[in-house]
Amino acid sequence: MNINLSHFTAAVVFALFASVVFGITQRNTTMEQVKYGLYCFAMFVGGVFLAGWVMALIRR
Amino acid sequence: MAKPTTDKSTKVSEPEYPLTTMAVVAPLVGWLIPGGGHILLKRYGRGILLLVSVVAMFVIGLGMQGRIYKPNGGDILDILGFIGDVGAGALYFLARIMDWGNVMAANAAADYGKTFLIVAGLLNFIAVADAHHIALGKKP
């Protein structure tokens, strides 16, 4: 089995599963878990874009 | 005549969350089978989501040709890599038995795969702690 993911896809998949676990384990009620999971996912993906832009600016 | 006094220091206070059998068994099951602790505690939805997340990360990590760390006493990063990997419980032992992940990182994707494998184990450690807290009654 060989899985080929681009850097961005790998980061989004990573963010998705990590956010699910963080949401479930770090909050008590279902609604809080969903909100915190979405927040973590947004932070992960936002961090990817931010890091991408920082690297692009450094490269210039 | 001296009044009888009550010595508060000798009074043994009951722990707020007493350790039960389930508080030991659920984390153990949760370590071996990701999400198993939650399922054992009748948190089926959470357990299945944890199972899917950890197993998917582990399988994707193997699919990206990630490396599985063996027990070692060498470099500190290798030791930490092993600790992360072993968090996946039965998945780790299955991978070792089947000789999966016995490769050296040759490209960036394989390096990401190694990270997926380690993080799958670390996320399972968090799930194990959560199962322990649920069994104790600290968390609904």
Short mmCIF file of all heavy atoms in Angstrom, two decimals, chain A residues 8-60:
data_model
loop_
_atom_site.label_atom_id
_atom_site.label_comp_id
_atom_site.label_asym_id
_atom_site.label_seq_id
_atom_site.Cartn_x
_atom_site.Cartn_y
_atom_site.Cartn_z
N PHE A 8 0.01 19.86 1.41
CA PHE A 8 -1.19 20.53 1.91
C PHE A 8 -2.24 19.51 2.33
O PHE A 8 -2.84 19.61 3.41
CB PHE A 8 -1.75 21.48 0.85
CG PHE A 8 -2.98 22.21 1.32
CD1 PHE A 8 -2.87 23.23 2.27
CD2 PHE A 8 -4.23 21.87 0.85
CE1 PHE A 8 -4.00 23.89 2.72
CE2 PHE A 8 -5.37 22.52 1.29
CZ PHE A 8 -5.25 23.55 2.22
N THR A 9 -2.45 18.49 1.50
CA THR A 9 -3.45 17.46 1.84
C THR A 9 -3.06 16.74 3.11
O THR A 9 -3.92 16.48 3.98
CB THR A 9 -3.58 16.45 0.68
OG1 THR A 9 -3.71 17.15 -0.54
CG2 THR A 9 -4.77 15.55 0.87
N ALA A 10 -1.77 16.41 3.24
CA ALA A 10 -1.31 15.74 4.45
C ALA A 10 -1.58 16.61 5.68
O ALA A 10 -2.04 16.11 6.72
CB ALA A 10 0.18 15.42 4.34
N ALA A 11 -1.34 17.91 5.56
CA ALA A 11 -1.56 18.83 6.69
C ALA A 11 -3.05 18.91 7.05
O ALA A 11 -3.41 18.94 8.23
CB ALA A 11 -1.02 20.21 6.36
N VAL A 12 -3.92 18.92 6.02
CA VAL A 12 -5.37 19.02 6.29
C VAL A 12 -5.88 17.71 6.91
O VAL A 12 -6.69 17.75 7.86
CB VAL A 12 -6.14 19.37 4.99
CG1 VAL A 12 -7.64 19.26 5.20
CG2 VAL A 12 -5.79 20.78 4.53
N VAL A 13 -5.41 16.58 6.41
CA VAL A 13 -5.82 15.28 6.99
C VAL A 13 -5.36 15.19 8.44
O VAL A 13 -6.12 14.78 9.33
CB VAL A 13 -5.24 14.12 6.14
CG1 VAL A 13 -5.42 12.78 6.85
CG2 VAL A 13 -5.91 14.07 4.78
N PHE A 14 -4.12 15.61 8.67
CA PHE A 14 -3.58 15.64 10.03
C PHE A 14 -4.46 16.52 10.92
O PHE A 14 -4.85 16.13 12.03
CB PHE A 14 -2.15 16.19 9.97
CG PHE A 14 -1.44 16.26 11.30
CD1 PHE A 14 -0.56 15.25 11.67
CD2 PHE A 14 -1.63 17.32 12.17
CE1 PHE A 14 0.10 15.30 12.89
CE2 PHE A 14 -0.97 17.38 13.38
CZ PHE A 14 -0.11 16.37 13.74
N ALA A 15 -4.79 17.71 10.44
CA ALA A 15 -5.60 18.66 11.20
C ALA A 15 -6.98 18.08 11.52
O ALA A 15 -7.48 18.24 12.63
CB ALA A 15 -5.75 19.97 10.42
N LEU A 16 -7.56 17.40 10.54
CA LEU A 16 -8.90 16.83 10.73
C LEU A 16 -8.92 15.82 11.88
O LEU A 16 -9.72 15.95 12.81
CB LEU A 16 -9.34 16.16 9.42
CG LEU A 16 -10.67 15.42 9.48
CD1 LEU A 16 -11.83 16.41 9.60
CD2 LEU A 16 -10.87 14.54 8.25
N PHE A 17 -8.03 14.84 11.82
CA PHE A 17 -8.06 13.78 12.84
C PHE A 17 -7.61 14.29 14.21
O PHE A 17 -8.17 13.91 15.23
CB PHE A 17 -7.22 12.58 12.39
CG PHE A 17 -7.80 11.88 11.19
CD1 PHE A 17 -7.04 11.65 10.05
CD2 PHE A 17 -9.12 11.47 11.18
CE1 PHE A 17 -7.57 11.02 8.95
CE2 PHE A 17 -9.67 10.84 10.08
CZ PHE A 17 -8.90 10.61 8.96
N ALA A 18 -6.61 15.15 14.22
CA ALA A 18 -6.16 15.71 15.50
C ALA A 18 -7.26 16.55 16.13
O ALA A 18 -7.49 16.49 17.35
CB ALA A 18 -4.89 16.54 15.29
N SER A 19 -8.00 17.30 15.31
CA SER A 19 -9.08 18.15 15.83
C SER A 19 -10.21 17.31 16.41
O SER A 19 -10.80 17.68 17.44
CB SER A 19 -9.63 19.04 14.72
OG SER A 19 -8.63 19.85 14.21
N VAL A 20 -10.51 16.19 15.76
CA VAL A 20 -11.56 15.29 16.28
C VAL A 20 -11.18 14.82 17.68
O VAL A 20 -11.98 14.88 18.62
CB VAL A 20 -11.78 14.09 15.33
CG1 VAL A 20 -12.64 13.03 15.98
CG2 VAL A 20 -12.42 14.54 14.03
N VAL A 21 -9.94 14.36 17.83
CA VAL A 21 -9.50 13.85 19.14
C VAL A 21 -9.45 14.98 20.17
O VAL A 21 -9.90 14.80 21.30
CB VAL A 21 -8.13 13.14 19.01
CG1 VAL A 21 -7.63 12.68 20.37
CG2 VAL A 21 -8.23 11.96 18.07
N PHE A 22 -8.92 16.13 19.78
CA PHE A 22 -8.87 17.26 20.73
C PHE A 22 -10.28 17.66 21.17
O PHE A 22 -10.52 17.91 22.36
CB PHE A 22 -8.18 18.47 20.09
CG PHE A 22 -6.68 18.35 20.02
CD1 PHE A 22 -5.93 19.28 19.33
CD2 PHE A 22 -6.02 17.31 20.64
CE1 PHE A 22 -4.54 19.19 19.25
CE2 PHE A 22 -4.63 17.20 20.58
CZ PHE A 22 -3.90 18.14 19.88
N GLY A 23 -11.20 17.74 20.22
CA GLY A 23 -12.57 18.13 20.54
C GLY A 23 -13.20 17.18 21.54
O GLY A 23 -13.78 17.60 22.54
N ILE A 24 -13.06 15.88 21.28
CA ILE A 24 -13.70 14.88 22.15
C ILE A 24 -13.08 14.88 23.54
O ILE A 24 -13.78 14.76 24.55
CB ILE A 24 -13.57 13.47 21.50
CG1 ILE A 24 -14.47 13.39 20.28
CG2 ILE A 24 -13.94 12.37 22.50
CD1 ILE A 24 -14.27 12.15 19.45
N THR A 25 -11.76 15.01 23.60
CA THR A 25 -11.09 14.82 24.89
C THR A 25 -10.98 16.09 25.74
O THR A 25 -10.81 15.98 26.95
CB THR A 25 -9.67 14.25 24.68
OG1 THR A 25 -8.94 15.13 23.83
CG2 THR A 25 -9.70 12.87 24.06
N GLN A 26 -11.08 17.25 25.12
CA GLN A 26 -10.82 18.47 25.89
C GLN A 26 -12.07 19.23 26.32
O GLN A 26 -11.97 20.23 27.02
CB GLN A 26 -9.92 19.43 25.09
CG GLN A 26 -8.60 18.83 24.64
CD GLN A 26 -7.76 18.35 25.81
OE1 GLN A 26 -7.54 19.07 26.76
NE2 GLN A 26 -7.32 17.10 25.74
N ARG A 27 -13.24 18.77 25.90
CA ARG A 27 -14.48 19.44 26.29
C ARG A 27 -15.51 18.42 26.77
O ARG A 27 -15.38 17.23 26.46
CB ARG A 27 -15.06 20.24 25.11
CG ARG A 27 -14.23 21.47 24.72
CD ARG A 27 -14.24 22.52 25.81
NE ARG A 27 -13.49 23.72 25.44
CZ ARG A 27 -12.19 23.91 25.67
NH1 ARG A 27 -11.47 22.96 26.25
NH2 ARG A 27 -11.59 25.04 25.32
N ASN A 28 -16.52 18.89 27.49
CA ASN A 28 -17.46 17.96 28.13
C ASN A 28 -18.73 17.69 27.32
O ASN A 28 -19.07 16.54 27.08
CB ASN A 28 -17.84 18.50 29.52
CG ASN A 28 -16.66 18.46 30.46
OD1 ASN A 28 -15.73 17.66 30.28
ND2 ASN A 28 -16.66 19.31 31.46
N THR A 29 -19.42 18.74 26.93
CA THR A 29 -20.70 18.51 26.23
C THR A 29 -20.48 18.37 24.72
O THR A 29 -19.45 18.82 24.20
CB THR A 29 -21.68 19.67 26.49
OG1 THR A 29 -21.16 20.85 25.87
CG2 THR A 29 -21.86 19.93 27.97
N THR A 30 -21.46 17.77 24.07
CA THR A 30 -21.34 17.52 22.63
C THR A 30 -21.15 18.82 21.85
O THR A 30 -20.29 18.89 20.96
CB THR A 30 -22.59 16.79 22.12
OG1 THR A 30 -22.78 15.61 22.91
CG2 THR A 30 -22.45 16.38 20.67
N MET A 31 -21.94 19.83 22.19
CA MET A 31 -21.84 21.09 21.45
C MET A 31 -20.47 21.75 21.66
O MET A 31 -19.87 22.25 20.70
CB MET A 31 -22.98 22.04 21.90
CG MET A 31 -23.13 23.30 21.05
SD MET A 31 -23.15 22.99 19.28
CE MET A 31 -24.74 22.22 19.09
N GLU A 32 -19.98 21.72 22.89
CA GLU A 32 -18.65 22.26 23.17
C GLU A 32 -17.57 21.49 22.41
O GLU A 32 -16.61 22.08 21.91
CB GLU A 32 -18.34 22.16 24.68
CG GLU A 32 -19.03 23.20 25.54
CD GLU A 32 -18.77 22.98 27.02
OE1 GLU A 32 -18.23 21.91 27.40
OE2 GLU A 32 -19.11 23.88 27.80
N GLN A 33 -17.76 20.19 22.32
CA GLN A 33 -16.78 19.35 21.61
C GLN A 33 -16.73 19.70 20.12
O GLN A 33 -15.66 19.82 19.53
CB GLN A 33 -17.12 17.87 21.80
CG GLN A 33 -16.86 17.39 23.21
CD GLN A 33 -17.37 15.99 23.47
OE1 GLN A 33 -18.06 15.40 22.63
NE2 GLN A 33 -17.07 15.45 24.63
N VAL A 34 -17.93 19.88 19.54
CA VAL A 34 -17.99 20.24 18.11
C VAL A 34 -17.34 21.60 17.88
O VAL A 34 -16.52 21.77 16.96
CB VAL A 34 -19.46 20.23 17.62
CG1 VAL A 34 -19.58 20.81 16.22
CG2 VAL A 34 -20.04 18.83 17.67
N LYS A 35 -17.68 22.56 18.74
CA LYS A 35 -17.13 23.92 18.58
C LYS A 35 -15.62 23.91 18.74
O LYS A 35 -14.90 24.54 17.96
CB LYS A 35 -17.76 24.86 19.62
CG LYS A 35 -19.15 25.33 19.26
CD LYS A 35 -19.67 26.28 20.34
CE LYS A 35 -21.10 26.71 20.05
NZ LYS A 35 -21.68 27.47 21.17
N TYR A 36 -15.12 23.20 19.75
CA TYR A 36 -13.68 23.19 19.99
C TYR A 36 -12.94 22.43 18.86
O TYR A 36 -11.85 22.84 18.45
CB TYR A 36 -13.37 22.54 21.34
CG TYR A 36 -11.93 22.69 21.76
CD1 TYR A 36 -11.41 23.94 22.07
CD2 TYR A 36 -11.09 21.59 21.82
CE1 TYR A 36 -10.09 24.09 22.43
CE2 TYR A 36 -9.76 21.73 22.19
CZ TYR A 36 -9.26 22.98 22.50
OH TYR A 36 -7.95 23.13 22.86
N GLY A 37 -13.57 21.37 18.36
CA GLY A 37 -12.98 20.63 17.23
C GLY A 37 -12.86 21.52 16.01
O GLY A 37 -11.81 21.55 15.34
N LEU A 38 -13.92 22.28 15.72
CA LEU A 38 -13.89 23.20 14.57
C LEU A 38 -12.85 24.30 14.79
O LEU A 38 -12.14 24.69 13.85
CB LEU A 38 -15.27 23.81 14.35
CG LEU A 38 -16.33 22.86 13.79
CD1 LEU A 38 -17.70 23.51 13.81
CD2 LEU A 38 -15.98 22.41 12.37
N TYR A 39 -12.77 24.78 16.02
CA TYR A 39 -11.78 25.82 16.35
C TYR A 39 -10.36 25.29 16.12
O TYR A 39 -9.53 25.97 15.49
CB TYR A 39 -11.97 26.25 17.81
CG TYR A 39 -10.89 27.16 18.34
CD1 TYR A 39 -10.85 28.51 18.00
CD2 TYR A 39 -9.90 26.66 19.19
CE1 TYR A 39 -9.86 29.34 18.49
CE2 TYR A 39 -8.91 27.48 19.69
CZ TYR A 39 -8.88 28.82 19.33
OH TYR A 39 -7.89 29.63 19.82
N CYS A 40 -10.09 24.09 16.62
CA CYS A 40 -8.75 23.50 16.43
C CYS A 40 -8.44 23.31 14.95
O CYS A 40 -7.32 23.60 14.50
CB CYS A 40 -8.65 22.14 17.15
SG CYS A 40 -8.58 22.26 18.92
N PHE A 41 -9.43 22.82 14.20
CA PHE A 41 -9.22 22.60 12.77
C PHE A 41 -8.90 23.92 12.06
O PHE A 41 -7.96 24.00 11.25
CB PHE A 41 -10.47 21.96 12.15
CG PHE A 41 -10.32 21.61 10.70
CD1 PHE A 41 -9.56 20.51 10.31
CD2 PHE A 41 -10.94 22.37 9.72
CE1 PHE A 41 -9.41 20.19 8.97
CE2 PHE A 41 -10.79 22.06 8.39
CZ PHE A 41 -10.02 20.97 8.01
N ALA A 42 -9.65 24.95 12.41
CA ALA A 42 -9.41 26.27 11.80
C ALA A 42 -8.01 26.77 12.16
O ALA A 42 -7.31 27.34 11.31
CB ALA A 42 -10.47 27.26 12.27
N MET A 43 -7.61 26.56 13.40
CA MET A 43 -6.27 27.01 13.84
C MET A 43 -5.17 26.24 13.11
O MET A 43 -4.16 26.82 12.69
CB MET A 43 -6.11 26.82 15.36
CG MET A 43 -6.87 27.81 16.18
SD MET A 43 -6.22 29.46 15.98
CE MET A 43 -7.65 30.33 15.42
N PHE A 44 -5.36 24.92 12.97
CA PHE A 44 -4.37 24.10 12.26
C PHE A 44 -4.21 24.58 10.81
O PHE A 44 -3.11 24.83 10.34
CB PHE A 44 -4.80 22.63 12.25
CG PHE A 44 -4.33 21.83 13.43
CD1 PHE A 44 -5.23 21.13 14.22
CD2 PHE A 44 -2.99 21.72 13.76
CE1 PHE A 44 -4.82 20.37 15.31
CE2 PHE A 44 -2.56 20.97 14.85
CZ PHE A 44 -3.48 20.29 15.62
N VAL A 45 -5.36 24.68 10.13
CA VAL A 45 -5.31 25.04 8.70
C VAL A 45 -4.85 26.49 8.54
O VAL A 45 -4.06 26.80 7.64
CB VAL A 45 -6.68 24.79 8.03
CG1 VAL A 45 -6.66 25.24 6.57
CG2 VAL A 45 -7.04 23.32 8.10
N GLY A 46 -5.33 27.37 9.43
CA GLY A 46 -4.86 28.76 9.41
C GLY A 46 -3.36 28.83 9.62
O GLY A 46 -2.66 29.61 8.95
N GLY A 47 -2.86 28.00 10.51
CA GLY A 47 -1.41 27.94 10.76
C GLY A 47 -0.63 27.48 9.54
O GLY A 47 0.47 27.97 9.27
N VAL A 48 -1.23 26.55 8.79
CA VAL A 48 -0.58 26.07 7.56
C VAL A 48 -0.44 27.22 6.56
O VAL A 48 0.63 27.43 5.97
CB VAL A 48 -1.39 24.91 6.94
CG1 VAL A 48 -0.94 24.61 5.52
CG2 VAL A 48 -1.28 23.67 7.80
N PHE A 49 -1.54 27.98 6.38
CA PHE A 49 -1.50 29.11 5.45
C PHE A 49 -0.51 30.18 5.91
O PHE A 49 0.27 30.71 5.12
CB PHE A 49 -2.89 29.73 5.29
CG PHE A 49 -3.76 29.00 4.31
CD1 PHE A 49 -4.77 28.15 4.74
CD2 PHE A 49 -3.55 29.14 2.94
CE1 PHE A 49 -5.54 27.45 3.84
CE2 PHE A 49 -4.33 28.45 2.02
CZ PHE A 49 -5.34 27.60 2.48
N LEU A 50 -0.53 30.45 7.23
CA LEU A 50 0.38 31.46 7.79
C LEU A 50 1.83 31.04 7.58
O LEU A 50 2.66 31.84 7.10
CB LEU A 50 0.08 31.65 9.28
CG LEU A 50 0.86 32.74 9.98
CD1 LEU A 50 0.45 34.12 9.47
CD2 LEU A 50 0.64 32.69 11.50
N ALA A 51 2.13 29.78 7.91
CA ALA A 51 3.50 29.29 7.75
C ALA A 51 3.90 29.32 6.27
O ALA A 51 5.05 29.66 5.94
CB ALA A 51 3.62 27.86 8.29
N GLY A 52 2.94 28.99 5.40
CA GLY A 52 3.22 29.03 3.96
C GLY A 52 3.59 30.42 3.49
O GLY A 52 4.56 30.61 2.74
N TRP A 53 2.81 31.41 3.94
CA TRP A 53 3.10 32.80 3.56
C TRP A 53 4.43 33.28 4.13
O TRP A 53 5.19 33.98 3.45
CB TRP A 53 1.96 33.73 4.00
CG TRP A 53 0.85 33.77 2.98
CD1 TRP A 53 -0.38 33.21 3.07
CD2 TRP A 53 0.91 34.40 1.70
NE1 TRP A 53 -1.09 33.44 1.94
CE2 TRP A 53 -0.34 34.17 1.08
CE3 TRP A 53 1.89 35.12 1.00
CZ2 TRP A 53 -0.64 34.64 -0.20
CZ3 TRP A 53 1.57 35.59 -0.28
CH2 TRP A 53 0.34 35.36 -0.85
N VAL A 54 4.71 32.90 5.39
CA VAL A 54 5.99 33.31 6.01
C VAL A 54 7.16 32.72 5.21
O VAL A 54 8.13 33.43 4.90
CB VAL A 54 6.04 32.85 7.50
CG1 VAL A 54 7.45 33.01 8.07
CG2 VAL A 54 5.06 33.66 8.33
N MET A 55 7.04 31.45 4.85
CA MET A 55 8.12 30.82 4.08
C MET A 55 8.26 31.46 2.70
O MET A 55 9.38 31.64 2.21
CB MET A 55 7.87 29.31 3.96
CG MET A 55 8.17 28.57 5.24
SD MET A 55 8.09 26.79 5.06
CE MET A 55 6.34 26.51 5.17
N ALA A 56 7.11 31.80 2.08
CA ALA A 56 7.16 32.44 0.76
C ALA A 56 7.84 33.81 0.85
O ALA A 56 8.62 34.17 -0.05
CB ALA A 56 5.74 32.58 0.21
N LEU A 57 7.55 34.56 1.92
CA LEU A 57 8.17 35.88 2.08
C LEU A 57 9.66 35.76 2.38
O LEU A 57 10.46 36.56 1.89
CB LEU A 57 7.45 36.67 3.19
CG LEU A 57 6.02 37.09 2.86
CD1 LEU A 57 5.33 37.65 4.09
CD2 LEU A 57 5.99 38.11 1.73
N ILE A 58 10.04 34.76 3.18
CA ILE A 58 11.46 34.56 3.49
C ILE A 58 12.22 34.20 2.21
O ILE A 58 13.36 34.63 2.01
CB ILE A 58 11.63 33.45 4.55
CG1 ILE A 58 11.15 33.95 5.91
CG2 ILE A 58 13.08 32.99 4.66
CD1 ILE A 58 11.06 32.89 6.97
N ARG A 59 11.56 33.43 1.34
CA ARG A 59 12.22 32.94 0.12
C ARG A 59 12.51 34.09 -0.86
O ARG A 59 13.41 33.99 -1.69
CB ARG A 59 11.33 31.89 -0.54
CG ARG A 59 12.01 31.08 -1.62
CD ARG A 59 11.21 29.84 -1.94
NE ARG A 59 11.78 29.17 -3.10
CZ ARG A 59 11.32 29.25 -4.33
NH1 ARG A 59 10.27 30.00 -4.58
NH2 ARG A 59 11.90 28.61 -5.33
N ARG A 60 11.74 35.17 -0.78
CA ARG A 60 11.91 36.30 -1.71
C ARG A 60 13.25 37.00 -1.52
O ARG A 60 13.69 37.18 -0.41
CB ARG A 60 10.79 37.31 -1.53
CG ARG A 60 9.53 36.88 -2.25
CD ARG A 60 8.51 37.99 -2.24
NE ARG A 60 7.27 37.54 -2.85
CZ ARG A 60 6.20 38.31 -2.99
NH1 ARG A 60 6.21 39.55 -2.56
NH2 ARG A 60 5.11 37.86 -3.56
#
